[in-house]
Amino acid sequence: MRWLHTTCLLRLAFAPVVLGQAGCALFQMKTSATRYVGVLADSSGNVVTIAEVQEYGQRDALQRGAAHNFQEWTLSVRAPSSGERVRQVVLRQGLASYHTQAFWRAIENIEARADSSGRRIWLVNRQTRRVVASADLDAESFTGPDDEPPPWARPDGGTVLTSITKVLYDHAD
Protein backbone atom coordinates (compact mmCIF):
# COMPACT_ATOMS: atom_id res chain seq x y z
CA MET A 1 0.00 0.00 0.00
CA ARG A 2 2.88 2.34 0.76
CA TRP A 3 4.19 1.99 -2.81
CA LEU A 4 0.87 3.07 -4.35
CA HIS A 5 0.75 6.14 -2.13
CA THR A 6 4.26 7.24 -3.23
CA THR A 7 3.45 6.64 -6.91
CA CYS A 8 0.29 8.68 -6.63
CA LEU A 9 2.16 11.57 -4.97
CA LEU A 10 4.85 11.51 -7.67
CA ARG A 11 2.22 11.61 -10.40
CA LEU A 12 0.50 14.58 -8.78
CA ALA A 13 3.83 16.38 -8.33
CA PHE A 14 4.81 16.01 -12.01
CA ALA A 15 1.36 16.65 -13.51
CA PRO A 16 1.65 20.48 -13.52
CA VAL A 17 5.09 20.30 -15.14
CA VAL A 18 3.87 18.01 -17.91
CA LEU A 19 0.69 20.00 -18.46
CA GLY A 20 2.64 23.26 -18.40
CA GLN A 21 5.07 22.02 -21.06
CA ALA A 22 2.28 20.74 -23.31
CA GLY A 23 0.12 23.80 -22.72
CA CYS A 24 2.76 26.34 -23.81
CA ALA A 25 2.59 25.12 -27.39
CA LEU A 26 -1.13 25.82 -27.42
CA PHE A 27 -0.54 29.50 -26.66
CA GLN A 28 2.12 30.16 -29.28
CA MET A 29 1.48 30.58 -32.97
CA LYS A 30 3.91 31.04 -35.85
CA THR A 31 2.74 31.61 -39.41
CA SER A 32 4.64 31.80 -42.64
CA ALA A 33 3.29 32.42 -46.12
CA THR A 34 4.53 33.47 -49.53
CA ARG A 35 2.41 36.45 -50.51
CA TYR A 36 3.85 37.27 -53.93
CA VAL A 37 6.17 35.76 -56.50
CA GLY A 38 7.02 37.67 -59.67
CA VAL A 39 9.44 36.77 -62.46
CA LEU A 40 11.20 38.77 -65.16
CA ALA A 41 12.16 36.85 -68.31
CA ASP A 42 14.45 37.91 -71.13
CA SER A 43 13.42 37.87 -74.82
CA SER A 44 14.24 34.15 -75.03
CA GLY A 45 11.98 33.31 -72.11
CA ASN A 46 14.82 32.63 -69.66
CA VAL A 47 14.10 33.81 -66.11
CA VAL A 48 16.41 36.71 -65.24
CA THR A 49 15.03 37.71 -61.86
CA ILE A 50 12.62 36.26 -59.30
CA ALA A 51 11.14 38.49 -56.60
CA GLU A 52 9.31 37.00 -53.62
CA VAL A 53 7.51 38.55 -50.69
CA GLN A 54 7.10 36.34 -47.64
CA GLU A 55 5.11 37.08 -44.53
CA TYR A 56 6.14 35.68 -41.17
CA GLY A 57 4.25 36.17 -37.93
CA GLN A 58 4.65 35.11 -34.34
CA ARG A 59 2.24 35.41 -31.44
CA ASP A 60 2.66 34.33 -27.84
CA ALA A 61 -0.32 34.41 -25.48
CA LEU A 62 1.89 34.20 -22.40
CA GLN A 63 4.45 36.87 -23.27
CA ARG A 64 3.62 40.44 -24.27
CA GLY A 65 5.58 42.86 -26.40
CA ALA A 66 6.93 43.23 -29.91
CA ALA A 67 9.75 40.72 -29.34
CA HIS A 68 7.20 37.92 -28.97
CA ASN A 69 4.26 39.24 -31.00
CA PHE A 70 5.04 40.57 -34.47
CA GLN A 71 4.53 40.24 -38.20
CA GLU A 72 7.13 40.96 -40.85
CA TRP A 73 7.49 41.10 -44.61
CA THR A 74 10.67 39.90 -46.29
CA LEU A 75 11.67 40.80 -49.84
CA SER A 76 13.83 38.17 -51.50
CA VAL A 77 15.36 38.70 -54.94
CA ARG A 78 17.12 35.94 -56.89
CA ALA A 79 19.05 35.87 -60.15
CA PRO A 80 18.88 32.18 -61.19
CA SER A 81 21.62 32.46 -63.82
CA SER A 82 24.24 33.46 -61.24
CA GLY A 83 22.73 31.75 -58.20
CA GLU A 84 22.74 35.13 -56.49
CA ARG A 85 20.13 35.81 -53.80
CA VAL A 86 19.57 38.77 -51.52
CA ARG A 87 16.97 38.85 -48.80
CA GLN A 88 15.92 41.38 -46.20
CA VAL A 89 13.03 42.23 -43.90
CA VAL A 90 11.48 45.39 -45.31
CA LEU A 91 8.63 45.77 -42.82
CA ARG A 92 8.35 44.56 -39.23
CA GLN A 93 5.37 45.47 -37.10
CA GLY A 94 5.31 44.66 -33.39
CA LEU A 95 1.97 43.71 -31.92
CA ALA A 96 0.88 44.61 -28.41
CA SER A 97 -0.44 41.17 -27.60
CA TYR A 98 -1.51 37.78 -28.90
CA HIS A 99 -5.00 39.02 -29.75
CA THR A 100 -3.93 42.05 -31.78
CA GLN A 101 -5.13 41.38 -35.32
CA ALA A 102 -4.41 44.76 -36.89
CA PHE A 103 -1.29 44.91 -39.03
CA TRP A 104 -0.38 47.66 -41.44
CA ARG A 105 -0.69 45.97 -44.82
CA ALA A 106 1.32 48.39 -46.94
CA ILE A 107 2.38 45.57 -49.21
CA GLU A 108 -0.96 43.80 -49.52
CA ASN A 109 -1.97 44.82 -53.04
CA ILE A 110 1.41 44.78 -54.77
CA GLU A 111 3.13 44.30 -58.07
CA ALA A 112 6.87 43.99 -58.59
CA ARG A 113 8.69 46.03 -61.21
CA ALA A 114 12.26 45.83 -62.48
CA ASP A 115 14.67 47.81 -64.61
CA SER A 116 15.77 46.36 -67.95
CA SER A 117 18.71 44.51 -66.39
CA GLY A 118 16.57 42.90 -63.68
CA ARG A 119 19.10 44.05 -61.07
CA ARG A 120 16.84 46.67 -59.49
CA ILE A 121 13.44 45.53 -58.18
CA TRP A 122 10.75 47.56 -56.50
CA LEU A 123 7.30 46.83 -55.12
CA VAL A 124 4.39 49.14 -55.88
CA ASN A 125 1.10 49.24 -54.00
CA ARG A 126 -1.38 49.19 -56.90
CA GLN A 127 -4.11 51.05 -54.99
CA THR A 128 -2.02 53.95 -53.70
CA ARG A 129 0.52 53.92 -56.59
CA ARG A 130 3.25 54.17 -53.96
CA VAL A 131 6.66 52.42 -53.95
CA VAL A 132 6.72 50.41 -50.72
CA ALA A 133 10.01 48.50 -51.04
CA SER A 134 13.02 48.26 -53.32
CA ALA A 135 16.11 46.14 -53.77
CA ASP A 136 19.28 46.84 -55.72
CA LEU A 137 21.26 43.65 -56.35
CA ASP A 138 24.42 45.51 -57.37
CA ALA A 139 24.52 47.76 -54.29
CA GLU A 140 22.83 45.13 -52.05
CA SER A 141 20.60 47.87 -50.67
CA PHE A 142 16.96 47.72 -49.63
CA THR A 143 14.27 50.21 -48.74
CA GLY A 144 10.98 49.58 -46.96
CA PRO A 145 7.62 51.35 -46.65
CA ASP A 146 8.94 53.97 -44.22
CA ASP A 147 11.99 54.81 -46.35
CA GLU A 148 12.31 57.23 -49.23
CA PRO A 149 12.52 55.08 -52.38
CA PRO A 150 15.50 55.55 -54.71
CA PRO A 151 14.94 57.78 -57.77
CA TRP A 152 14.98 54.79 -60.15
CA ALA A 153 12.00 53.17 -58.37
CA ARG A 154 8.90 54.84 -59.83
CA PRO A 155 5.30 53.58 -59.59
CA ASP A 156 4.92 53.52 -63.38
CA GLY A 157 8.53 52.86 -64.38
CA GLY A 158 10.32 49.70 -65.40
CA THR A 159 8.76 46.40 -66.44
CA VAL A 160 6.05 44.67 -64.41
CA LEU A 161 7.19 41.22 -63.29
CA THR A 162 4.79 38.43 -64.26
CA SER A 163 2.95 37.52 -61.08
CA ILE A 164 3.29 33.77 -60.59
CA THR A 165 1.26 34.14 -57.41
CA LYS A 166 -1.72 35.48 -59.36
CA VAL A 167 -1.40 32.74 -62.00
CA LEU A 168 -1.33 30.03 -59.30
CA TYR A 169 -4.28 31.47 -57.37
CA ASP A 170 -6.35 32.06 -60.51
CA HIS A 171 -5.96 28.41 -61.53
CA ALA A 172 -6.43 26.86 -58.08
CA ASP A 173 -9.36 24.47 -57.79
Side-chain angles (χ1 to χ4, degrees):
M1 189 59 117
R2 182 101 167 113
W3 184 80
L4 281 172
H5 179 69
T6 304
T7 304
C8 184
L9 286 176
L10 282 173
R11 285 184 184 163
L12 287 174
F14 285 113
V17 174
V18 172
L19 288 174
Q21 292 294 325
C24 285
L26 298 175
F27 295 105
Q28 295 175 345
M29 179 177 67
K30 294 179 181 179
T31 59
S32 182
T34 298
R35 293 293 181 188
Y36 181 89
V37 179
V39 297
L40 177 68
D42 63 14
S43 58
S44 303
N46 298 319
V47 174
V48 176
T49 304
I50 302 171
E52 298 175 58
V53 176
Q54 291 92 22
E55 179 183 11
Y56 175 75
Q58 177 178 304
R59 288 190 171 78
D60 191 317
L62 303 177
Q63 299 183 42
R64 303 278 184 237
H68 306 286
N69 299 279
F70 63 87
Q71 285 185 299
E72 65 186 22
W73 291 82
T74 301
L75 173 59
S76 175
V77 180
R78 291 183 291 169
S81 60
S82 66
E84 186 177 11
R85 180 182 184 137
V86 292
R87 177 184 169 108
Q88 184 161 326
V89 172
V90 293
L91 174 64
R92 182 178 170 115
Q93 176 78 32
L95 306 172
S97 72
Y98 180 83
H99 296 291
T100 305
Q101 295 297 319
F103 176 56
W104 182 44
R105 301 247 183 225
I107 320 179
E108 186 171 26
N109 190 12
I110 61 164
E111 70 183 8
R113 294 177 167 266
D115 67 355
S116 59
S117 70
R119 307 286 300 164
R120 292 177 170 171
I121 308 293
W122 59 98
L123 303 176
V124 176
N125 181 316
R126 288 188 298 247
Q127 288 179 326
T128 63
R129 302 306 302 161
R130 182 173 165 252
V131 175
V132 293
S134 70
D136 185 336
L137 288 174
D138 295 327
E140 292 189 14
S141 65
F142 287 82
T143 63
D146 296 330
D147 302 323
E148 186 66 33
W152 47 261
R154 297 180 319 277
D156 295 321
T159 303
V160 176
L161 276 64
T162 303
S163 172
I164 298 302
T165 308
K166 182 173 174 14
V167 171
L168 292 175
Y169 288 139
D170 285 352
H171 297 310
D173 293 330

